[in-house]
């Protein structure tokens, strides 16, 4: 449908998982994509250039800009590089996140701090930079924050992450109210259990599949499920939607799957 034709999208944490799914879906809909993630020499990090290659294979332009979203200067440099290459940014997806599963009584402070810095403050830095750019050019624009069902469902061993996701769910409508005069939409997508490399750090294949059978829709979500939702919110079809939270969770919040 090419709903994002001639648009430029900037996505943080886009080397793999949900961010990669969003990047590819937006490219399929006609967007050129700025891919942000950590440098490939960072332990455990996938090189974002593989996502760029997939986007270019779809006939769209891609730009990789490495940088840590906890570093305000780095975030500003990401936007500067995007604007230098493409002239503007129309869509920003604040997706980058971090989590280590620990009970509160055992939690190491450096893990808590890193989780909050990436998952909450990184969103703030990204959205502030996006807002400043979009306001300066008079709007319009689309800002999408990737939250989580854990903003409402308190998963044990995930206190810092739960806190951060709850915070960004409150931040989004606040920013939406401030940016509405400029016709800049701000919304949240709250994924449920999504089959990603990050999720596989905390669960075995058997555990993940068991969770999938308990979801009313009968399966785990995929990065493309979130990508398609992001495309909708970034498109003209969602122009009258702002300050909202969209749960993409296969019905997880409404209860366990019925037998039969």
């Amino acid at each position: 449908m090419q709903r994002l034709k001639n648009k430029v999208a900037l996505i943080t944490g886009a080397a793999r998982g949900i961010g990669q799914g969003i990047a590819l879906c937006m490219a399929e809909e006609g967007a050129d994509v700025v891919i942000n993630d950590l440098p490939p020499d960072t332990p455990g990090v996938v090189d974002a250039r593989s996502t760029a290659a997939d986007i270019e294979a779809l006939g769209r332009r891609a730009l990789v800009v490495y940088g840590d979203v906890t570093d305000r200067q780095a975030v500003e440099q990401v936007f500067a590089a995007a604007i230098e290459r493409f002239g503007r940014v129309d869509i920003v997806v604040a997706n980058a996140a971090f989590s280590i599963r620990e009970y509160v009584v055992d939690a190491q402070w450096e893990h808590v701090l890193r989780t909050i810095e990436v998952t909450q403050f990184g969103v703030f830095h990204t959205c502030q930079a996006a807002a400043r750019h979009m306001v300066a050019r008079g709007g319009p624009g689309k800002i999408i924050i990737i939250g989580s069902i854990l903003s409402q469902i308190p998963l044990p061993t995930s206190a810092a992450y739960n806190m951060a996701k709850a915070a960004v769910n409150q931040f989004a409508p606040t920013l939406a109210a401030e940016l509405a005069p400029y016709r800049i939409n701000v919304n949240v997508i709250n994924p449920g259990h999504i089959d990603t490399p990050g999720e596989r750090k905390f669960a075995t294949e058997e555990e993940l599949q068991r969770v999938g059978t308990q979801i009313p829709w009968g399966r785990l979500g995929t990065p493309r499920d979130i990508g398609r939702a992001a495309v909708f919110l970034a498109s003209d079809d969602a122009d009258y939607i702002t300050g909202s939270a969209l749960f993409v969770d296969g019905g997880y919040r409404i209860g366990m799957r019925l037998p039969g």
Side-chain angles (χ1 to χ4, degrees):
M1 293 176 62
Q2 297 288 289
R3 286 179 288 175
L4 305 182
K5 186 177 181 180
N6 298 323
K7 301 293 185 181
V8 177
L10 187 158
I11 304 162
T12 65
R16 65 178 188 172
I18 287 174
Q20 183 183 56
I22 294 170
L24 294 175
C25 285
M26 288 192 171
E28 289 170 356
E29 290 286 344
D32 296 320
V33 183
V34 181
I35 304 157
N36 161 255
D37 216 301
L38 294 170
D41 58 355
T42 307
V45 170
V46 174
D47 193 338
R49 285 177 292 189
S50 63
T51 302
D54 291 339
I55 289 168
E56 290 169 348
L58 293 168
R60 305 312 309 165
R61 294 178 294 173
L63 173 67
V64 174
V65 188
Y66 301 115
D68 189 330
V69 295
T70 68
D71 182 339
R72 289 178 60 81
Q73 185 176 4
V75 172
E76 291 171 1
Q77 290 170 348
V78 170
F79 276 83
I83 294 163
E84 181 180 3
R85 172 71 181 277
F86 295 115
R88 70 189 191 285
V89 177
D90 304 294
I91 302 157
V92 172
V93 183
N95 166 73
F98 178 84
S99 179
I100 290 181
R101 299 278 172 87
E102 298 172 310
Y103 287 103
V104 171
V105 294
D106 299 320
Q108 299 180 48
W109 178 243
E110 59 267 29
H111 295 163
V112 173
L113 188 60
R114 180 65 179 169
T115 299
I116 299 295
E117 285 179 338
V118 176
T119 311
Q120 181 176 338
F121 295 157
V123 166
F124 184 93
H125 302 330
T126 302
C127 291
Q128 186 181 53
R132 286 174 171 173
H133 166 63
M134 293 174 180
V135 167
R137 65 184 180 88
K142 307 282 189 176
I143 298 174
I144 301 167
I145 297 170
I146 304 303
S148 171
I149 57 169
L150 300 187
S151 62
Q152 294 191 1
I153 300 173
L155 177 69
T157 74
S158 191
Y161 186 81
N162 298 351
M163 290 164 52
K165 291 300 188 180
V168 299
N169 267 265
Q170 182 65 8
F171 170 63
T174 305
L175 184 61
E178 295 179 2
L179 297 183
Y182 302 94
R183 294 301 182 261
I184 299 168
N185 305 71
V186 185
N187 293 292
V188 179
I189 296 174
N190 285 315
H193 285 283
I194 308 299
D195 191 350
T196 65
E199 193 68 23
R200 289 175 178 274
K201 291 192 307 182
F202 306 120
T204 66
E205 179 68 26
E206 181 181 355
E207 289 169 337
L208 285 173
Q209 296 309 316
R210 184 167 62 248
V211 169
T213 63
Q214 295 171 339
I215 295 170
W217 212 249
R219 65 168 175 85
L220 296 172
T222 69
R224 293 186 66 85
D225 289 323
I226 309 305
R228 287 189 287 266
V231 165
F232 165 67
L233 289 176
S235 73
D236 292 344
D237 294 337
D239 276 354
Y240 201 58
I241 301 172
T242 196
S244 295
L246 175 61
F247 285 83
V248 184
D249 64 354
Y252 183 84
R253 291 177 307 128
I254 61 178
M256 308 303 281
R257 188 181 189 189
L258 296 175

